Amino acid sequence: LSADLIGTNTISISWTASTDNVGIDYYRVYVDDILQSPTTSSNAYNVINLVPDTQYVINVDAVDTSGNVSQLSDDLIETTSDVVL
């Protein structure tokens, strides 16, 4: 899990695609332990509506087509940019 772009109110993240024997259906993204909506079938996500100059803990898990859930990713800890006046 890595941050590709960090803005004042957005963090763009990406991760290595998961694999399993039945296929991955979607990924769930958590910010400070709160599930984000919508889920995504992509291995990239834009976390939006964040507060400038604030630290966030981001995690991802995968859900396969049978409904099995992967282990939660390691923490990605990032801080949004400060507002430049």
Side-chain angles (χ1 to χ4, degrees), residues 28-84:
R28 300 183 300 188
V29 176
Y30 299 85
V31 177
D32 294 339
D33 295 322
I34 298 170
L35 178 62
Q36 303 300 290
S37 181
T39 59
T40 181
S41 58
S42 170
N43 62 324
Y45 192 87
N46 290 322
V47 182
I48 59 172
N49 299 323
L50 302 175
V51 176
D53 195 28
T54 303
Q55 180 175 287
Y56 293 93
V57 178
I58 303 170
N59 303 94
V60 174
D61 64 16
V63 180
D64 72 13
T65 55
S66 295
N68 299 309
V69 178
S70 74
Q71 181 177 347
L72 201 60
S73 69
D74 289 338
D75 291 349
L76 173 65
I77 301 171
E78 296 291 348
T79 302
T80 50
S81 301
D82 197 2
V83 174
V84 178

